[in-house]
Amino acid sequence: MKKEVTKNMKLAIIKIYNSDTSKINKSTIKALFDRELIDENNILTENGRNYIISTFPLKKQCEKLELKLIEVELNYDEKIEEVALKYFEEKGYLGTSIEGMALFTILKGYILDKLEKYNRFNSRIEAYRDCLESQLLDLENYKIEITQCIETIDLERFKNNMNEILNDRIVMLFCQGLTSLFAEKIFLALDKEIVKNLFLTIWSNPFLYRNGWTDLILVKDNKIKFVEVKGKDKLHESQIITIQKMKKILPFEFSVIKIIKKKN
């Protein structure tokens, strides 16, 4: 369980971020080190930098993460994620608003045969119902074989796998709005080498990278767009971690859209 960051620790880490370590007592320094927010030289770790960014207002977060920030005024009554999805659909995008669940389900379509072969129950149904992150932990010894499977799968086999997955009633309880057509468009937009790198990155820490994905994943003209939707809140630490990491792997636009409700 994550250790709490107290008010004094927060003030101290902000001072360190601003290159000022004066008047920070040794117990606070030790507490920050124990939480892996600073290293032995009192320099911010990656965790420390992510924590600092999580305290910034949204605009400054976007600047630090090099995310395009769009502000849009709209009339709406439903959830802002659905409002944002409609906004982009009207611009010709195909998309989902179920965060990383969409991508993780699509990734199963690449390796479903191997998931069936090696899952603990030798069951195809369990292979597409069980969460991908749990299965990846169990299949560490088969990493090379599974990544080779990504290289060889063709569109027809992928489409068949996705149709099978998305026709399952249990899967669709968690994947409402995810369609075979969207999955096909994602497959066509992603180079196999990118998919392999994405798999290997997620595999390095599956339960970390299952969180923090953008609300929307969109595709148009063979290009994918990752869009986080905000109203009055800002980016959470898990989003800061995952978005930073995935931006290095996925050569597509990551952005934030802030929905402002129109005044009547």
Side-chain angles (χ1 to χ4, degrees), residues 90-103:
E90 289 172 0
K91 296 179 179 297
Y93 287 91
L94 192 63
T96 69
S97 59
I98 56 172
E99 304 178 1
M101 181 65 72
L103 192 59

Side-chain angles (χ1 to χ4, degrees), residues 82-227:
E82 297 304 316
V83 172
L85 180 58
K86 288 178 184 177
Y87 171 83
F88 284 105
E89 285 175 340
E90 289 172 0
K91 296 179 179 297
Y93 287 91
L94 192 63
T96 69
S97 59
I98 56 172
E99 304 178 1
M101 181 65 72
L103 192 59
F104 275 47
T105 304
I106 289 169
L107 291 177
K108 286 181 185 177
Y110 282 85
I111 61 169
L112 184 59
D113 296 337
K114 297 299 179 184
L115 292 179
E116 176 189 12
K117 181 178 178 181
Y118 292 120
N119 83 74
R120 68 192 79 172
F121 303 108
N122 298 117
S123 163
R124 195 164 177 86
I125 293 175
E126 288 298 324
Y128 53 70
R129 284 185 179 177
D130 195 11
C131 67
L132 181 63
E133 51 270 30
S134 294
Q135 295 188 72
L136 291 181
L137 287 180
D138 291 340
L139 300 176
E140 182 68 28
N141 293 334
Y142 306 102
K143 187 178 289 185
I144 294 174
E145 183 180 345
I146 289 173
T147 52
Q148 286 173 341
C149 171
I150 295 167
E151 295 174 357
T152 58
I153 191 168
D154 60 24
L155 177 59
E156 206 55 41
R157 184 62 184 165
F158 174 79
K159 285 168 65 175
N160 289 338
N161 287 347
M162 288 308 305
N163 285 333
E164 188 176 355
I165 292 168
L166 296 179
N167 280 326
D168 183 82
R169 61 182 180 82
I170 301 298
V171 172
M172 290 314 294
L173 287 175
F174 301 96
C175 294
Q176 293 181 16
L178 179 57
T179 65
S180 295
L181 177 59
F182 175 76
E184 179 184 341
K185 297 288 187 184
I186 295 293
F187 181 93
L188 293 171
L190 281 175
D191 180 84
K192 295 283 184 66
E193 197 60 32
I194 293 171
V195 178
K196 278 177 59 180
N197 289 338
L198 178 59
F199 256 107
L200 292 172
T201 301
I202 292 171
W203 219 321
S204 70
N205 199 334
F207 284 92
L208 174 67
Y209 293 124
R210 73 175 176 177
N211 299 314
W213 286 88
T214 58
D215 292 306
L216 307 185
I217 302 176
L218 308 162
V219 63
K220 177 184 176 184
D221 299 333
N222 226 34
K223 292 182 181 179
I224 302 171
K225 186 190 290 278
F226 296 86
V227 183

Side-chain angles (χ1 to χ4, degrees), residues 54 61 228 230 233-241:
S54 75
Q61 287 181 327
E228 176 60 21
K230 293 298 179 188
D233 58 336
K234 57 185 181 178
L235 295 171
H236 310 300
E237 198 167 350
S238 66
Q239 294 171 328
I240 292 164
I241 293 167

